[in-house]
Amino acid sequence: MTDLLNATGPAYAKAMGHPTRHRLLLELGEDGATISQLANRLSTNKGNVAHHLKVLIQAGLIRRGPTRTVRGGTEQYFVRAAKRIRFEQV
């Protein structure tokens, strides 16, 4: 994980155009989280979280992290692309 990501330009602005995506970035923390964990923390459904994570992945703000097996299933963790993200001020 890089230390700093300079998130400047319209792609980043568009990705951060929804308040849920702000909350997801904060909730991921340094260790990352699964869709289920994020849905519980944000009190929303998994489909909503999955949609917003996809937008953040496409913008390069987060990435898929490690997986782990739990009760016969596989959990996918998502992590921030950098420890710190600097957004352009407008």
Side-chain angles (χ1 to χ4, degrees):
M1 177 187 308
T2 31
D3 285 338
L4 176 66
L5 171 65
N6 282 312
T8 58
Y12 294 114
K14 183 178 178 183
M16 295 307 296
H18 196 283
T20 299
R21 295 182 199 133
H22 292 255
R23 293 178 62 204
L24 284 170
L25 274 178
L26 292 173
E27 288 296 333
L28 281 173
E30 290 194 20
D31 298 329
T34 66
I35 290 177
S36 295
Q37 291 169 338
L38 292 167
N40 286 334
R41 292 176 193 171
L42 273 59
S43 298
T44 189
N45 63 56
K46 293 184 208 176
N48 190 33
V49 170
H51 165 73
H52 290 295
L53 287 176
K54 182 179 175 183
V55 173
L56 291 170
I57 289 170
Q58 289 173 341
L61 294 169
I62 66 170
R63 61 180 175 76
R64 293 180 184 276
T67 59
R68 73 177 186 145
T69 303
V70 178
R71 291 183 289 246
T74 302
E75 286 187 327
Q76 174 73 60
Y77 278 79
F78 295 87
V79 295
R80 285 190 255 174
K83 288 182 182 178
R84 295 182 308 135
I85 302 172
R86 182 182 338 185
F87 291 96
E88 182 178 77
Q89 294 182 2
V90 253

